[in-house]
Amino acid sequence: MLSNIGIPGLILILVIALIIFGPSKLPEIGRAFGSTLKEFKKATNDLVNGDNDQEHKNSTKEKNKLVGIEKTDSKTGS
């Protein structure tokens, strides 16, 4: 969607934003947009990595259970 804007369209959007918000508010809006985007990316990465971490924890628990069962079997001599 944004790949179809091009340079003239981007300049037009910036000029309209400058007219609407004024030169003093534009840097504040840019910082707010940047920090929002940063938080969104961080949350997305946390969700993706959290799923992987959860899968890793579950597989580790299952391995530990299997090791515990093997130890119990070797103690009983069966």
Side-chain angles (χ1 to χ4, degrees), residues 15-75:
V15 168
I16 291 172
L18 185 62
I19 291 170
I20 292 173
F21 297 111
S24 62
K25 292 285 184 182
L26 225 52
E28 293 175 23
I29 293 171
R31 277 193 290 277
F33 180 73
S35 64
T36 302
L37 189 61
K38 182 179 175 183
E39 289 178 24
F40 179 75
K41 284 184 179 181
K42 183 179 180 239
T44 304
N45 287 336
D46 287 346
L47 285 174
V48 170
N49 292 336
D51 290 344
N52 291 338
D53 290 343
Q54 187 64 30
E55 290 174 7
H56 178 70
K57 288 178 185 177
N58 288 340
S59 66
T60 304
K61 286 180 183 178
E62 290 173 5
K63 288 178 184 176
N64 290 340
K65 286 180 183 178
L66 291 175
V67 169
I69 291 172
E70 290 174 358
K71 287 181 182 178
T72 304
D73 287 345
S74 64
K75 287 180 184 177

